[in-house]
Amino acid sequence: MRFLRALLAQAWLPLRGLRSRLVVAFALVAVVSALSTGALAFREARTGVLQQSQDSVIRQFRASVDAVAVHTPLAPNRSQLQTAVNQVLYANQAQGWQVMATYGSLRAYAPSDFFGNLSPEVRRSVRDHGAAVFQRVNDGGHPYLVVGMPVTYNSGEGTESKLSGLVMYLVVPQNTEQAYVRAMISAIEHATLVALGLAVVLALLAASGVLRPVRALRRATRRMAEGHLDVRLAVNGSDELADLSRSFNDTAAALERSVAELRRLEAQARRFVADVSHELRTPLAAMSALTDVLDEDALRLGQETGDALQLISEGTRRLSVLVDDLMEISRFDAGAVELNLDEIDLAESVRHTLASRGWQGQVETDLPRPGVLRTRVDPRRLDVVMANLIGNALRHGASPVRLTMGVREERVDVAWAVIEVTDDGPGIAEEAMPHIFERFYKASTTRTRSRSSGLGLAITAENVHLHGGRISAANLPGGGAAFTVELPLHRDSAAAAEAADDATAGAW
């Protein structure tokens, strides 16, 4: 039973579609039902045919034996036995019978001897029970009915019959009955095939009725996944599929309301951040100008006053950077960011970023020669990307900080400029890795009051994506973090990069 269940389970696995499963289920039910009904009907019909044939033969044989027994002596000789056999056979000559009579050691038969084919059970049963017995046998693929009937007589003393010692045997071919049985088997096979065909047709009709709303539901969910939250299903009927359609419509309506509310709140939050940032820029500009003036006089003031002015200046600069970052994020959210592309030398741009911030002595570089690696980017945004990555490595990593640049060829028509910034610091915690480019995320709780706002890497990722590029973060096997930026190259830029020296190009 376990093997059968396992076999059915394995056969069911490839049927992934609901239509296939319905057709197979209907077909299995039809075949099992037809075979079960056919088997029961066959058994009953076969038993009825054989029983009727057997009863008819035994009655006819009994009547013939009774007719000849009257004229047969109680102790017949060989000739009298043969006469009795011939009379029985003559009375039923159209039946194809074979008859044999035995009395002691005497034996008579017509038309041929079949005594050796009589089973010991039949002879023993006739001898022991003194009643008619029968047995169905198969000889060479042909069925026969064998009947043994003892002849009894009434002695006149009471009503009890006694065995005369004379036994009549009969062998009757049952080819007609076998033909009936074969006809029944053929009819059952044809009925099973018809039932299977009807089951497949019904399954296809049922599958069409079931799959129609299911397909509609699938199309509706796909449209919802594409952002069409106003999609609804037509509800027909009152069955389970109609309830499912109503539930989907209710869910879609609730989701549309929730998403609309979230979008409204998100837009309101973006407007709030943009408005606050915009309003803060003017007073911050004035404060920055004032702190610049005070910084010039800080040396002539006392220690405590100078320290206070330094704290105010630093706080003002951090607040200005935060406001600028918030304004940039607001522009990203509003879709108002535009790229001002220009064909530039990437290596020269990176050198300018390092020089403008005084980082030349703090960063080890491995850059291609000037004029080798050129592509179209927004120079200002590339400067922001490199400044954020290098500054992040200098603040949170450890020396030496390394910057390398090269080319990666994916196909003949696709090439990438690859810029990697690494450090020898503690690296990035594994739990922080999935969130490293999220807004306001700080990888360590000890940095919650640091100078970082948690927006630098988010702005970096947005700028890289604007260029159609990719950015990733990973930990180095020997310790330290690695940030990799990949920018798409035009074919002319890639061709120029291929002319770079082997050491630079081979590193990638």
Side-chain angles (χ1 to χ4, degrees):
M1 191 66 181
R2 291 181 179 177
F3 174 76
L4 181 58
R5 285 199 297 267
L7 185 62
L8 290 175
Q10 291 296 324
W12 193 260
L13 284 178
L15 302 177
R16 299 295 185 183
L18 183 58
R19 179 189 294 274
S20 301
R21 294 187 179 187
L22 282 174
V23 171
V24 171
F26 271 73
L28 288 176
V29 170
V31 170
V32 171
S33 301
L35 290 178
S36 301
T37 305
L40 293 174
F42 170 74
R43 187 182 66 179
E44 295 298 326
R46 180 178 181 274
T47 302
V49 168
L50 295 178
Q51 186 69 40
Q52 181 181 3
S53 172
Q54 166 194 307
D55 294 343
S56 175
V57 169
I58 292 176
R59 283 195 305 268
Q60 191 173 355
F61 185 49
R62 189 189 302 276
S64 300
V65 171
D66 290 343
V68 300
V70 177
H71 306 287
T72 303
L74 292 178
N77 55 29
R78 174 75 174 72
S79 175
Q80 291 169 334
L81 280 179
Q82 188 65 50
T83 300
V85 169
N86 292 337
Q87 289 177 349
V88 172
L89 188 62
Y90 179 78
N92 303 276
Q93 57 183 347
Q95 306 296 325
W97 286 10
Q98 290 179 275
V99 182
M100 184 174 65
T102 62
Y103 182 79
S105 61
L106 298 178
R107 188 165 68 242
Y109 50 84
S112 60
D113 184 10
F114 58 87
F115 189 81
N117 295 330
L118 293 177
S119 65
E121 291 81 2
V122 172
R123 287 179 284 174
R124 188 185 311 114
S125 181
V126 171
R127 183 181 65 247
D128 295 342
H129 296 88
V133 297
F134 67 91
Q135 185 182 33
R136 297 188 186 96
V137 297
N138 193 294
D139 185 14
H142 299 285
Y144 295 91
L145 175 64
V146 179
V147 182
M149 184 173 296
V151 177
T152 60
Y153 68 94
N154 194 329
S155 63
E157 299 175 359
T159 58
E160 183 178 356
S161 298
K162 296 182 179 180
L163 295 174
S164 65
L166 175 61
V167 179
M168 302 290 289
Y169 292 97
L170 170 67
V171 174
V172 183
Q174 292 193 306
N175 295 326
T176 303
E177 290 77 5
Q178 186 181 31
Y180 288 155
V181 172
R182 289 176 177 172
M184 285 188 292
I185 294 176
S186 178
I188 291 173
E189 291 176 350
H190 286 87
T192 302
L193 292 177
V194 172
L196 178 61
L198 291 176
V200 171
V201 172
L202 291 176
L204 292 175
L205 293 177
S208 298
V210 172
L211 293 178
R212 189 178 300 111
V214 173
R215 290 195 185 101
L217 179 61
R218 181 181 61 185
R219 289 193 296 268
T221 53
R222 286 180 177 175
R223 285 183 57 81
M224 285 188 65
E226 294 171 356
H228 303 281
L229 300 181
D230 57 342
V231 64
R232 297 294 184 271
L233 293 175
V235 180
N236 298 315
S238 58
D239 55 6
E240 289 80 0
L241 292 175
D243 292 339
L244 178 62
S245 299
R246 278 190 287 270
S247 299
F248 174 84
N249 291 340
D250 295 340
T251 303
L255 180 62
E256 185 178 16
R257 290 192 297 269
S258 300
V259 171
E261 179 65 16
L262 289 174
R263 287 174 177 172
R264 185 186 66 82
L265 294 175
E266 183 182 7
Q268 184 177 357
R270 286 199 300 266
R271 285 195 301 271
F272 174 78
V273 172
D275 293 342
V276 169
S277 302
H278 182 74
E279 294 298 328
L280 286 176
R281 295 191 71 180
T282 301
L284 278 175
M287 292 174 61
S288 298
L290 179 61
T291 54
D292 290 341
V293 174
L294 293 176
D295 285 341
E296 296 177 357
D297 297 334
L299 298 177
R300 296 192 297 269
L301 300 176
Q303 180 67 29
E304 294 183 358
T305 303
D307 292 342
L309 287 176
Q310 185 177 0
L311 289 175
I312 293 174
S313 298
E314 183 179 354
T316 302
R317 284 192 295 270
R318 288 176 54 193
L319 186 58
S320 298
V321 172
L322 176 60
V323 170
D324 290 339
D325 289 345
L326 288 174
M327 290 292 294
E328 187 73 358
I329 288 292
S330 299
R331 283 191 288 269
F332 281 125
D333 291 339
V337 176
E338 294 182 358
L339 291 177
N340 297 315
L341 299 177
D342 191 12
E343 178 89 11
I344 66 171
D345 186 332
L346 294 181
E348 191 62 30
S349 176
V350 170
R351 292 188 183 95
H352 175 74
T353 299
L354 296 175
S356 63
R357 290 164 176 82
W359 289 341
Q360 300 97 320
Q362 303 178 53
V363 180
E364 298 178 3
T365 60
D366 183 7
L367 304 175
R369 296 191 305 271
V372 170
L373 187 55
R374 299 180 62 84
T375 189
R376 290 178 59 80
V377 295
D378 186 325
R380 185 185 69 84
R381 296 191 180 279
L382 179 62
D383 178 73
V384 170
V385 169
M386 300 313 305
N388 283 339
L389 292 180
I390 297 171
N392 187 73
L394 292 173
R395 286 194 302 271
H396 306 297
S399 298
V401 174
R402 293 173 293 275
L403 189 151
T404 57
M405 182 181 297
V407 177
R408 175 180 295 135
E409 293 280 348
E410 286 190 358
R411 297 193 307 268
V412 177
D413 57 339
V414 177
W416 299 83
V418 182
I419 306 171
E420 187 174 63
V421 178
T422 62
D423 63 74
D424 283 352
I428 305 170
E430 292 298 328
E431 62 273 13
M433 192 68 71
H435 313 285
I436 197 68
F437 295 108
E438 294 179 1
R439 299 175 184 180
F440 298 105
Y441 182 80
K442 297 184 179 182
S444 173
T445 56
T446 59
R447 293 171 51 194
T448 55
R449 299 185 60 84
S450 68
R451 296 180 57 188
S452 173
S453 64
L455 291 175
L457 289 179
I459 293 175
T460 299
E462 293 284 358
N463 281 318
V464 172
H465 295 155
L466 277 177
H467 287 83
R470 303 180 294 224
I471 185 170
S472 61
N475 287 320
L476 298 174
F483 288 85
T484 304
V485 174
E486 297 176 284
L487 298 175
L489 285 176
H490 299 292
R491 287 318 307 166
D492 54 350
S493 300
E498 292 176 358
D501 55 87
D502 294 338
T504 303
W508 302 96

